[in-house]
Amino acid sequence: MSDWDGWSGEQDQRGRRDDGYGRGSGQAEPEGARRMRHVQRPGPGPQASRQPQQPPQPQQPPRRPAQPPAGPAYVPPQQDGSYSGNSHDGYDSGYNTGQVYGGGQPPSGPRGRGPGGPGGPGGPARPAGPAPDWRKRIKIGSIVLASGLLVTSIGTYFWADSNVRREVDLSKVIERPKEGDCTTYLIVGSDSREGMSAEDKKKLHTGSAEGKRTDSMMILAKCSSGNTMISLPRDSDVEIPSFVGSESGKKFAGQGRRVKLNAAYAEDGPELLVRTVEFNTGLRIDHYAEIGFAGFANIVDALGGVELNIEKGFKDEKSGADFKEGTQTLNGEQSLAYVRTRYAFAESDLQRTKNQQKFLSALASQAATPTTIMNPFKLYPVLGAGLDTLIVDKDMGLWDMGSMFFAMKGISSGDGVSMNMPISGQRGGNLVWDKAKVQQLVQQIQKDEKVTVRGN
């Protein structure tokens, strides 16, 4: 036998052999974690050769400390190669039933996230919190939304108010009638082409006349007893009274001149028109509002059109009107043609004023609604569409304009009276007012009584 055949390595202090080959037998620690002594190869000698070879003895795992170290601990396998979840040799390995330290299946239930998430390897368990209060969240969201809309609406109103053209000074009107119990507005539609391009004039059939004249005039009386809208035909026969020039400030004495009502506007603008209306009716005008062709059409388009029931179709080449019978939605161009047409009717200007009242009431009904007034994203374009050509008196604010629109809306819903100024006949082609009826009408408005007078 060779000397190498009988060599079996060194013995440790307990008499166990260490053959030096790191066989990985069931030891408490892996080979790499143990401190390996340097193995010296024994030289040949009689004592080494005569030493009997003994079979390797199984090693006992070293006893663990009473307190395990922090964190997951290595659990040695048992002799049969299996692992136990219970304590081993008095040491609790931490792998008891029901405990999960990152291994095994993810926990069941709504908070089980699987590997990498809460409850999985490397992820801390998320503590259960209270369910979200959706009622509270919705309430807070609604408050924030309402506040945003309110702030935007207020900003829109201030913007519009600062851009209104307050150019009419009613303090220049002299010898005014006494104030009544109702609030009265003189609403004027002018044929001003201001801001219109050549293409716009052609499209809207307005012509290219310089300056501006009144195309429609009406008195709106807002009363607690009921609202009244009275159209003043532009061909009305009236007297031009004494007045103070709006530009010169010079007083012009009355000469008893009788003219058509629209001539007063052409002679010295809104102030003389108000003075003439007050002198010939005896009714005090509280506010003045005027809008031109372009602004009128733009407002209608900004609203998305105005729905109107046309009882009988008509056509007029001068205004561009071409309407069939029935309910239809008119755009800005069609609306302007509708309120300007006069030659297609036997009653001429009287029928035109009736159409104007009807249309303005329908326009107010669709403009003075919560969906428009309370929605700044719709109110802004509507106001912006007419501000360029909307002219009012110096004391008229947005609140007064809103009251005016709501008063017209009330008339369209049947809460009020719509009429022409009572006519008794003609004089040289001019329409002569019925003085007795006009006087009764004015008294009823001044005293805020229900209007019983009816016009043409």
Side-chain angles (χ1 to χ4, degrees), residues 395-446:
D395 296 327
M396 190 171 185
L398 287 178
W399 179 265
D400 300 303
M401 283 186 254
S403 297
M404 180 182 70
F405 268 94
F406 275 101
M408 288 191 292
K409 179 181 179 180
I411 292 175
S412 67
S413 62
D415 183 21
V417 177
S418 178
M419 57 185 288
N420 276 321
M421 186 64 81
I423 304 296
S424 62
Q426 294 188 10
R427 180 187 296 123
N430 297 347
L431 299 175
V432 179
W433 293 352
D434 188 323
K435 290 184 179 181
K437 287 186 178 181
V438 170
Q439 184 177 8
Q440 183 183 2
L441 173 63
V442 170
Q443 288 178 351
Q444 289 176 342
I445 293 175
Q446 287 177 333

Side-chain angles (χ1 to χ4, degrees), residues 207-220:
S208 301
E210 297 296 330
K212 60 180 181 178
R213 287 149 295 277
T214 54
D215 203 63
S216 62
M217 294 163 285
M218 59 187 68
I219 295 173
L220 174 65

Side-chain angles (χ1 to χ4, degrees), residues 49-67:
S49 61
R50 290 194 300 269
Q51 185 173 0
Q53 184 175 5
Q54 297 181 5
Q57 298 296 325
Q59 298 182 6
Q60 296 295 328
R63 187 177 298 275
R64 296 292 183 183
Q67 296 294 332

Side-chain angles (χ1 to χ4, degrees), residues 169-191:
D169 189 358
L170 296 182
S171 66
K172 295 179 180 180
V173 180
I174 62 174
E175 302 175 13
R176 309 195 67 184
K178 65 178 182 179
E179 294 185 1
D181 295 331
C182 300
T183 302
T184 55
Y185 301 83
L186 180 59
I187 304 172
V188 175
S190 75
D191 64 358

Side-chain angles (χ1 to χ4, degrees), residues 113 115 120 127 288 306 317 326 372 401 443 451:
R113 297 290 188 264
Y288 177 92
V306 174
E317 294 182 359
T372 300
M401 283 186 254
Q443 288 178 351
V451 173

Side-chain angles (χ1 to χ4, degrees), residues 235-240 257-262 264 276 280 427 430-431 433:
D235 294 339
S236 298
D237 185 81
V238 295
E239 179 182 343
I240 298 293
R257 293 185 295 128
R258 303 201 69 87
V259 297
K260 292 183 178 181
L261 181 58
N262 63 344
T276 302
N280 286 269
R427 180 187 296 123
N430 297 347
L431 299 175
W433 293 352

Side-chain angles (χ1 to χ4, degrees), residues 165-454:
R165 296 172 59 181
R166 296 181 174 89
E167 300 176 2
V168 179
D169 189 358
L170 296 182
S171 66
K172 295 179 180 180
V173 180
I174 62 174
E175 302 175 13
R176 309 195 67 184
K178 65 178 182 179
E179 294 185 1
D181 295 331
C182 300
T183 302
T184 55
Y185 301 83
L186 180 59
I187 304 172
V188 175
S190 75
D191 64 358
S192 172
R193 280 82 171 170
E194 182 180 1
M196 297 176 63
S197 64
E199 183 179 353
D200 293 334
K201 295 175 184 177
K202 182 178 180 180
K203 177 182 178 181
L204 299 176
H205 301 270
T206 63
S208 301
E210 297 296 330
K212 60 180 181 178
R213 287 149 295 277
T214 54
D215 203 63
S216 62
M217 294 163 285
M218 59 187 68
I219 295 173
L220 174 65
K222 183 178 180 297
C223 308
S224 60
S225 60
N227 303 323
T228 303
M229 183 181 290
I230 310 164
S231 288
L232 309 176
R234 68 178 189 174
D235 294 339
S236 298
D237 185 81
V238 295
E239 179 182 343
I240 298 293
S242 59
F243 67 97
V244 174
S246 59
E247 297 294 335
S248 65
K250 179 181 177 181
K251 184 174 181 179
F252 296 90
Q255 301 175 358
R257 293 185 295 128
R258 303 201 69 87
V259 297
K260 292 183 178 181
L261 181 58
N262 63 344
Y265 182 95
E267 186 172 332
D268 198 47
E271 287 84 1
L272 179 54
L273 178 61
V274 172
R275 167 69 174 138
T276 302
V277 170
E278 289 186 344
F279 177 80
N280 286 269
T281 62
L283 183 66
R284 185 184 180 97
I285 301 299
D286 297 311
H287 292 293
Y288 177 92
E290 173 189 328
I291 191 167
F293 282 161
F296 179 83
N298 291 338
I299 288 177
V300 173
D301 287 334
L303 283 171
V306 174
E307 185 176 297
L308 195 69
N309 179 32
I310 299 178
E311 298 176 356
K312 184 178 180 180
F314 60 91
K315 187 174 182 179
D316 181 26
E317 294 182 359
K318 291 189 176 182
S319 66
D322 187 4
F323 298 103
K324 293 181 173 57
E325 180 181 337
T327 301
Q328 50 206 284
T329 300
L330 309 185
N331 60 24
E333 177 184 352
Q334 294 170 323
S335 300
L336 189 59
Y338 180 83
V339 299
R340 293 185 63 219
T341 298
R342 63 183 299 191
Y343 296 106
F345 311 119
E347 294 180 290
S348 186
D349 202 38
L350 291 177
Q351 181 60 45
R352 182 173 71 160
T353 56
K354 293 178 182 179
N355 288 345
Q356 291 170 350
Q357 289 180 352
K358 181 178 180 178
F359 183 86
L360 285 180
S361 296
L363 173 65
S365 295
Q366 297 178 46
T369 59
T371 56
T372 300
I373 301 299
M374 301 304 295
N375 184 357
F377 304 104
K378 190 171 184 179
L379 179 64
Y380 179 87
V382 172
L383 290 176
L387 284 178
D388 290 341
T389 60
L390 178 63
I391 300 174
V392 299
D393 65 88
K394 293 184 179 297
D395 296 327
M396 190 171 185
L398 287 178
W399 179 265
D400 300 303
M401 283 186 254
S403 297
M404 180 182 70
F405 268 94
F406 275 101
M408 288 191 292
K409 179 181 179 180
I411 292 175
S412 67
S413 62
D415 183 21
V417 177
S418 178
M419 57 185 288
N420 276 321
M421 186 64 81
I423 304 296
S424 62
Q426 294 188 10
R427 180 187 296 123
N430 297 347
L431 299 175
V432 179
W433 293 352
D434 188 323
K435 290 184 179 181
K437 287 186 178 181
V438 170
Q439 184 177 8
Q440 183 183 2
L441 173 63
V442 170
Q443 288 178 351
Q444 289 176 342
I445 293 175
Q446 287 177 333
K447 296 179 181 180
D448 196 358
E449 298 175 352
K450 185 176 179 61
V451 173
T452 60
V453 178
R454 297 294 180 266

